[in-house]
Amino acid sequence: MIERYSERDINALWDEYNRLKVMLDVELAVCRAWCEQGRIPEDALEDIIAHAHFTVERVKEIEQRTQHDVVAFVSAVAENIGDNGRYLHLGMTSSDILDTASSIMIRDTLEIIITALDELDSAVVDLAQKYKHLPCIGRTHGIHAEPMSLGLRFLNWHSEILRDRGRLEYAKKDISAGKISGAVGTYAMCNPQLEARVCELLGLEPAKVSNQILQRDRHAAVLNALALMGSTLERMALEVRNLQRTEVREAFEPFGVGQKGSSAMPHKRNPIKCERICGMSRLLRGYAVTGMENIALWHERDISHSSTERVIWPDAFNIACFMVRSMTKILRGLVVDETRVRHNINQTNGLVYSQRVLTFLLDELKLSREDAYAIVQENAMKTASSGVAFLDLLITDERLQGVVDPEKIKELFENDFYMRYVDEIFARFFGE
């Protein structure tokens, strides 16, 4: 991942040294399990543990000759151990160490992302509570629809984040699996008890069945969970972008001291942080597609998945974590113009109360739906074209004069009616 979008703690997990260190942890766990089964002498295990180390440079040097990364790694470690190095990698195939180590790294990375997502959710909940009773205009198709609560919009995000978190937790559980089953999954050179003990030492579950690799539906599930989370973040960022538009101006992402919006137009305050998140979500979806294409491999496996995973795993995790933390900063610094929010409800001269008027005519006057709809729509179109207040046109409509008390019509044009169940909806998440 380029430095611009890298997260230090994610990079620390996925840099070359740590990747090899986790592989060494797997190798040492196998040696310990073999020792417990009597295959490796105790003094040999002590010697292995004491002297098993490597340098990235030496591994790369050997790999130049062998053209095999795991062989190079095992050789680099074994040469530091000496004679007892022959016990290293005993009964294993390359994917035993690679896939088991990858499961550990992915599991630990997901834990970081889930923690970051919890921090984002906290910011969302704070906004939901703060603006719980602030009326705003709801929009469908980009057009003013009816009044709603601004806090309800944020609460909707909270609900989606909870689902994202659930998918990430499930993916973490699913990927927390190891395999030490040998070349094609038959345990010909090891045994299931060895695998079970190794996984226990590493905090993993042994795969119930594998071939030469852990099957890639597990990894695809991780990438799909990240892609879905990215789409949630895109949805949130897109909303802030729309609310920041000149014609709307209801909410703004943070704009730092000294920040510039345009090289040519000094007045610009562009939603670049939210736009960045929207763009990154496209990358995550692309990685998810690659993850799914990695599922189908030749027979017990090939390595067509391997080259892609070297790129997409660290990149996807960096991007996902960067997006979550960026969105948290945006929402912690979100500027909401409450005056503008209230003003925009009245931007259409009362048209947003049309459904309530329609329902009133149906209930109070017992009109047919066609007749009631015609009265409301005709006056609404006049308001839209002339700018005359919708309420004024209804009160002076000859079809309603003398039939409906004007005060009753006026009562339809208030926002509390649309807010009366907001507390009940919030109680579904936070109780009374």
Side-chain angles (χ1 to χ4, degrees):
M1 172 49 58
I2 62 174
E3 185 178 351
R4 186 181 186 93
Y5 305 129
S6 293
E7 293 294 303
R8 184 175 299 175
D9 47 357
I10 302 295
N11 273 341
L13 280 173
W14 287 91
D15 70 15
E16 187 65 5
Y17 175 79
N18 191 66
R19 186 179 76 88
L20 296 174
K21 180 181 178 299
V22 177
M23 288 169 59
L24 181 58
D25 291 340
V26 176
E27 292 281 3
L28 293 179
V30 173
C31 288
R32 183 178 296 279
W34 275 130
C35 180
E36 292 173 359
Q37 291 190 10
R39 184 77 181 274
I40 297 178
E42 289 189 12
D43 59 342
L45 176 64
E46 292 174 2
D47 186 38
I48 291 169
I49 293 173
H51 297 97
H53 61 84
F54 63 88
T55 65
V56 174
E57 293 73 22
R58 180 56 178 156
V59 173
K60 288 183 177 180
E61 180 183 347
I62 298 174
E63 187 179 355
Q64 286 294 316
R65 182 181 74 254
T66 63
Q67 294 297 297
H68 195 293
D69 57 343
V70 175
V71 170
F73 166 72
V74 173
S75 298
V77 176
E79 68 183 11
N80 292 315
I81 298 172
D83 289 344
N84 286 324
R86 68 183 185 278
Y87 292 119
L88 207 63
H89 206 66
L90 188 63
M92 297 171 67
T93 189
S94 296
S95 291
D96 286 334
I97 178 175
L98 289 173
D99 280 8
T100 304
S102 293
S103 291
I104 294 170
M105 294 166 66
I106 295 172
R107 177 199 65 192
D108 293 349
T109 306
L110 287 176
E111 193 59 46
I112 292 174
I113 294 174
I114 289 170
T115 298
L117 190 63
D118 287 342
E119 293 170 1
L120 170 62
D121 190 45
S122 176
V124 170
V125 169
D126 286 347
L127 288 170
Q129 297 284 12
K130 181 177 182 178
Y131 297 110
K132 180 178 181 180
H133 295 117
L134 177 64
C136 71
I137 190 62
R139 300 173 176 87
T140 60
H141 303 274
I143 307 300
H144 285 206
E146 289 187 342
M148 63 176 290
S149 152
L150 182 60
L152 202 59
R153 183 175 291 152
F154 294 121
L155 185 68
N156 192 285
W157 294 357
H158 166 63
S159 179
E160 190 165 341
I161 288 172
L162 291 180
R163 293 193 294 277
D164 283 316
R165 193 187 194 285
R167 284 185 285 262
L168 288 172
E169 285 284 7
Y170 181 86
K172 187 183 78 168
K173 181 178 182 296
D174 210 29
I175 199 63
S176 297
K179 62 92 57 182
I180 309 293
S181 58
V184 290
T186 62
Y187 302 97
M189 296 304 196
C190 49
N191 57 73
Q193 293 72 34
L194 180 87
E195 178 185 69
R197 178 58 176 149
V198 170
C199 288
E200 181 184 16
L201 290 169
L202 298 171
L204 301 173
E205 287 292 322
K208 290 185 177 180
V209 61
S210 58
N211 44 37
Q212 193 169 91
I213 61 170
L214 286 172
Q215 276 50 69
R216 260 41 193 177
D217 62 294
R218 298 175 186 268
H219 307 77
V222 171
L223 292 167
N224 274 282
L226 291 178
L228 282 167
M229 182 191 72
S231 295
T232 295
L233 296 172
E234 180 181 20
R235 176 184 173 227
M236 295 163 63
L238 187 63
E239 180 67 18
V240 174
R241 288 172 60 191
N242 269 314
L243 294 179
Q244 188 164 326
R245 287 170 52 226
T246 304
E247 296 81 3
V248 181
R249 303 201 312 277
E250 291 183 5
F252 303 83
E253 70 174 40
F255 194 80
V257 176
Q259 183 175 338
K260 304 295 187 291
S262 167
S263 63
M265 298 166 283
H267 74 279
K268 296 295 290 297
R269 179 175 174 172
N270 301 325
I272 58 170
K273 298 177 180 68
C274 288
E275 289 172 338
R276 185 182 299 138
I277 288 173
C278 289
M280 286 180 157
S281 69
R282 300 167 190 170
L283 285 173
L284 284 182
R285 288 192 287 273
Y287 293 146
V289 170
T290 303
M292 287 185 286
E293 291 182 347
N294 283 344
I295 294 173
L297 303 173
W298 285 19
H299 303 298
E300 275 53 65
R301 79 132 186 180
D302 57 58
I303 61 166
S304 59
H305 63 293
S306 175
S307 56
T308 67
E309 289 170 351
R310 293 174 190 271
V311 176
I312 64 175
W313 288 351
D315 275 19
F317 294 132
N318 263 296
I319 287 172
C321 197
F322 181 92
M323 290 172 67
V324 173
R325 288 171 174 167
S326 294
M327 197 71 223
T328 302
K329 292 176 184 176
I330 289 169
L331 295 186
R332 286 297 183 198
L334 191 71
V335 178
V336 175
D337 186 338
E338 296 188 33
T339 301
R340 182 70 181 184
V341 170
R342 295 179 185 276
H343 166 80
N344 281 347
I345 296 177
N346 302 315
Q347 204 173 63
T348 57
N349 296 303
L351 292 182
V352 295
Y353 305 104
S354 69
Q355 181 180 199
R356 194 175 181 201
V357 174
L358 171 64
T359 304
F360 173 81
L361 296 181
L362 292 172
D363 291 344
E364 295 293 319
L365 302 187
K366 309 304 180 184
L367 297 177
S368 69
R369 187 170 186 85
E370 290 74 16
D371 290 343
Y373 200 100
I375 293 172
V376 176
Q377 187 180 46
E378 288 169 17
N379 285 293
M381 294 302 105
K382 288 179 183 177
T383 292
S385 60
S386 68
V388 178
F390 185 43
L391 174 61
D392 293 341
L393 289 176
L394 288 170
I395 290 175
T396 58
D397 190 307
E398 60 184 19
R399 291 167 289 186
L400 300 179
Q401 284 185 326
V403 181
V404 181
D405 182 352
E407 291 302 317
K408 284 193 173 183
I409 298 180
K410 289 180 183 178
E411 290 173 2
L412 305 175
F413 285 69
E414 52 83 23
N415 296 321
D416 288 347
F417 175 83
Y418 299 91
M419 310 283 284
R420 66 192 193 281
Y421 294 120
V422 168
D423 285 333
E424 184 175 326
I425 298 171
F426 269 73
R428 295 171 183 172
F429 295 91
F430 310 115
E432 297 297 332

